[in-house]
Structures are given as C-alpha cells and as structure tokens.
Amino acid sequence: MRKLYCFDFDGTLTYRDTMFMFLRHYNARRFYIRFVLHIPLFILLKLRLMDAETVKKSFISSVLKGERRSRIEEESDRFFNENFPAVMRQNALDFLNSRDPAQTESWLVTASLDIWVRPFAQKFNMKLLATEAEFRDDVFTGRFITPNCNGNEKLNRIRAEIKGRKFDKIIAFGDTAGDKPMLNWADESYFRFFH
C-alpha cells in the first residue's frame, strides 16, 4: 500500500514557531528592533484587521531583505544544526524515523519560508511545499514568489504537486485552523497527534 504523508511543520512537528526563532538567529539586533516596530501590525493581526500574509511578509522582509542567498542558506544550515533535534517533538521524531521509505512518500507542507525549513525537509527526505522566497541576482527581494502556504493554499499546492499520481491513502497531520483544508481533504487526518 503506497501512502502519502502530508505534515504541517510549525507546532505539528516542532514545539515552537520557527519563523521568529530563525529571524532572531539570523540577526538578533535587527530582529528586536523590527519586532518592536511591528507591534502595531501584530495587534491588528490579532484583532483580525490585517491578514497574516501581509504582516508576515512585512516582518520577514524587514529582517532579511537585501541579504544574499548564500548567507541566508549558510545561516539556515547553522540554524538547523543548532536547533535539531531539540526543536522537534519527540513523538514526531519517533514517527518520522519509523516510516518505511519503500511504502511511503512524505511532504512537508508549511507556511514557513522555504529558506529555513529546507534543511529539516532534507533531513527527513521530504518534498518541501512552503512559502517561497523571491531572489533576484541571488539577493532576497523581501517578496514571496508563491502565496502564503496556509489554509486553502496548502491544499492547492498539494493538488498541484500530485498531478494525477495515485496513492492508496493520503494521511495529513496538522495543529491549527490553517491546516483544516488539508486535514479535511485527506483520507485520514490527525490534529495535534504528536502533542
């Protein structure tokens, strides 16, 4: 039986949201300054007066815009080495290590930016479906080349990637409302399974 596992990342496989962790790791001084400046936007987001994609793009851009791809990738690898496996839920690690690669395929489906999640996906031999950063001349523009990979967009990305391929069973794991479309669509789904 050929299975496809679709895993959310932050909060599902990890204990913490990696966006704030990575941006603080990348440049702590800039992170704290930009965090304070973004407090009004975070409040508007909490009050549902702004959408998450706009706030996320603004905050990530304020820390990483203009940085070279090589430096971001180097820091992403360093971030992974410093935080793996501590940031991962032990139950999730046990499950990931028990998969049979001959019978399963695994995709990491996350709203986080591809640049810092890629080392985690590579570690577990997963295809990465994430929000993708835009680079021009190997410099981060501060923009995304895909919509924020959350909510319905998660399901859109999965469907586009499947492209008519057949799986006997599709199993999804998530932990927030942003995972619901993916969870509702899958043959089998688990909410906060590793908590």
Side-chain angles (χ1 to χ4, degrees):
M1 177 181 273
R2 186 74 178 162
K3 295 179 184 177
L4 171 63
Y5 288 121
C6 296
F7 297 98
D8 169 58
F9 184 59
D10 292 298
T12 297
L13 300 182
T14 70
Y15 287 108
R16 300 174 59 191
D17 185 295
T18 56
M19 180 183 82
F20 291 107
M21 288 179 66
F22 176 75
L23 295 176
R24 187 174 59 245
H25 161 89
Y26 192 87
N27 186 324
R29 183 174 179 277
R30 191 183 304 165
F31 169 84
Y32 286 116
I33 291 169
R34 299 303 181 183
F35 186 90
V36 170
L37 294 174
H38 276 78
I39 286 175
L41 295 184
F42 295 144
I43 292 170
L44 289 173
L45 176 62
K46 205 74 172 165
L47 296 172
R48 299 175 190 234
L49 298 174
M50 281 196 85
D51 67 283
E53 183 170 1
T54 300
V55 176
K56 174 180 174 179
K57 191 179 296 182
S58 175
F59 188 56
I60 291 173
S61 178
S62 74
V63 177
L64 297 179
K65 183 178 179 181
E67 295 293 307
R68 297 201 65 77
R69 184 197 297 265
S70 57
R71 167 126 197 271
I72 292 175
E73 288 179 350
E74 180 182 305
E75 289 303 325
S76 295
D77 289 338
R78 185 172 289 125
F79 174 75
F80 172 80
N81 290 329
E82 290 176 4
N83 291 282
F84 181 84
V87 74
M88 304 291 291
R89 294 183 182 277
Q90 187 58 52
N91 289 341
L93 280 176
D94 293 343
F95 185 89
L96 293 173
N97 289 327
S98 71
R99 293 168 300 157
D100 178 358
Q103 298 296 318
T104 62
E105 193 169 325
S106 298
W107 296 356
L108 196 56
V109 189
T110 177
S112 279
L113 220 55
D114 56 345
I115 50 182
W116 69 78
V117 181
R118 184 167 284 111
F120 291 89
Q122 290 171 340
K123 169 69 178 175
F124 292 107
N125 195 29
M126 292 184 185
K127 177 182 289 295
L128 179 60
L129 305 179
T131 306
E132 296 177 18
E134 180 186 73
F135 289 88
R136 286 199 184 149
D137 300 320
D138 279 335
V139 173
F140 180 46
T141 66
R143 294 187 293 270
F144 305 155
I145 59 174
T146 62
N148 189 34
C149 191
N150 195 35
N152 288 325
E153 183 60 21
K154 285 195 175 194
L155 185 51
N156 293 340
R157 295 285 298 279
I158 292 167
R159 285 176 164 157
E161 196 63 39
I162 285 177
K163 297 176 188 167
R165 295 175 60 201
K166 299 292 183 192
F167 293 94
D168 297 306
K169 187 180 281 189
I170 299 174
I171 304 165
F173 298 83
D175 76 313
T176 66
D179 300 314
K180 290 290 186 180
M182 174 177 75
L183 294 172
N184 291 338
W185 169 81
D187 299 314
E188 196 174 300
S189 61
Y190 297 95
F191 188 73
R192 298 184 176 169
F193 182 75
F194 302 118
H195 287 215

